[in-house]
Amino acid sequence: MADIGRASLILDTLAESRTMLSLTELARRTELPRSTVHRLIQALEKELYVVRDPGRRGYSLGPGLLKFGVAAHSSLVSSNRRSLASLARTTGENVDLAVFSGREVVVVDQVESPDRVRSATEVGRSFSLHASCLGVALLALLPDDVVCSLLVRPLERFTEHTVTDPDVLWQRIEEVRSTRIAVDREEHDLGICAVATGFRGRTGALQAVSVVMPSSRFRLKQSRAIEGLERLNPDLA
């Protein structure tokens, strides 16, 4: 693995942690030699991509990353906003745009339908990859070895409908690789259903778009939502 890959692994590990991590903890979680982690942390700290706690308890992500996040977010949102708005008008439901965030998927933009009853999601909310159609749609775009590295077992159960059997989940990923459409029937939140599609956007980022709605309207609107997503996905249109 090249240094850029090791540095990315360190940054991802810090992003996933809710507390600061020491060099020893980073080495354990990334399975990299402590000397390698120390060398890369020093380089990342110099550019303010990571910062060290004054009490020397550990490291966290630094302000140097903000310039990339702000620019990437602005470009990603602006390149998708028109198609998201069109899909929201067509379906009469909320439409979300999401990307990978470590071992989760996070909503980075949302277009609310004028007819919406309540918002099931919001910008900034994250979901487990295995328990959301956004997550499964993104997983289907990745090679098998990367998918394995992202799925941490045991898989958490959020509702009685959450798929936690690895074999069933793999079968589902293969189906989505064929159809490019993932369906969520109350797998993350009871009373909420959604359909999603994943693709590489104009900015080059892997992204997923979903149509979210109450379960009471899902049977009536599922086909319309899928048709809209198929028109939106450049790999299917």
Side-chain angles (χ1 to χ4, degrees):
M1 183 187 299
D3 272 357
I4 189 170
R6 297 186 182 97
S8 177
L9 181 58
I10 290 172
L11 293 173
D12 283 344
T13 302
L14 288 173
E16 294 163 12
S17 176
R18 297 184 178 180
T19 61
M20 290 189 169
L21 298 177
S22 67
L23 290 175
T24 300
E25 290 169 328
L26 279 169
R28 177 176 58 82
R29 295 192 186 193
T30 60
E31 299 183 350
L32 294 174
R34 192 178 187 279
S35 58
T36 300
V37 173
H38 182 256
R39 174 173 59 83
L40 292 173
I41 278 288
Q42 286 185 315
L44 293 169
E45 188 177 13
K46 184 178 180 181
E47 301 297 330
L48 294 181
Y49 296 154
V50 302
V51 292
R52 179 166 41 176
D53 176 67
R56 294 182 176 273
R57 291 175 297 179
Y59 294 87
S60 61
L61 296 180
L65 295 171
L66 288 176
K67 59 186 177 184
F68 301 113
V70 171
H73 181 269
S74 177
S75 178
L76 182 67
V77 169
S78 62
S79 66
N80 286 280
R81 180 50 85 131
R82 180 177 296 180
S83 58
L84 298 186
S86 175
L87 183 57
R89 287 194 302 270
T90 300
T91 60
E93 302 292 346
N94 287 1
V95 175
D96 293 342
L97 172 67
V99 296
F100 280 113
S101 178
R103 288 186 172 86
E104 294 183 313
V105 57
V106 62
V107 176
V108 295
D109 193 22
Q110 180 183 83
V111 175
E112 297 180 346
S113 164
D115 303 325
R116 97 193 219 287
V117 174
R118 69 184 179 92
S119 179
T121 59
E122 58 185 4
V123 174
R125 185 180 180 186
S126 60
F127 296 89
S128 294
L129 293 172
H130 72 282
S132 65
C133 57
L134 286 168
V136 175
L138 286 172
L139 287 173
L141 299 175
L142 300 175
D144 287 355
D145 60 333
V146 179
V147 174
C148 287
S149 69
L150 290 173
L151 294 177
V152 179
R153 299 183 186 183
L155 300 176
E156 184 176 355
R157 181 179 296 279
F158 295 90
T159 75
E160 60 185 298
H161 306 292
T162 305
V163 176
T164 57
D165 184 323
D167 292 334
V168 175
L169 181 59
W170 272 107
Q171 184 178 29
R172 183 181 182 191
I173 291 172
E174 289 296 337
E175 291 174 354
V176 176
R177 283 173 174 168
S178 174
T179 64
R180 304 302 287 272
I181 297 294
V183 180
D184 175 350
R185 295 180 176 87
E186 300 188 336
E187 293 178 37
H188 203 283
D189 297 286
L190 289 175
I192 299 298
C193 293
V195 288
T197 191
F199 54 93
R200 189 175 296 279
R202 280 175 281 181
T203 65
L206 292 179
Q207 58 195 52
V209 175
S210 67
V211 180
V212 187
M213 67 193 79
S215 301
S216 59
R217 296 201 292 264
F218 189 63
R219 180 175 296 180
L220 177 65
K221 290 192 171 184
Q222 179 181 357
S223 296
R224 188 191 311 175
I226 290 175
E227 290 171 1
L229 289 170
E230 289 175 337
R231 286 194 298 269
L232 181 145
N233 191 324
D235 297 331
L236 294 174

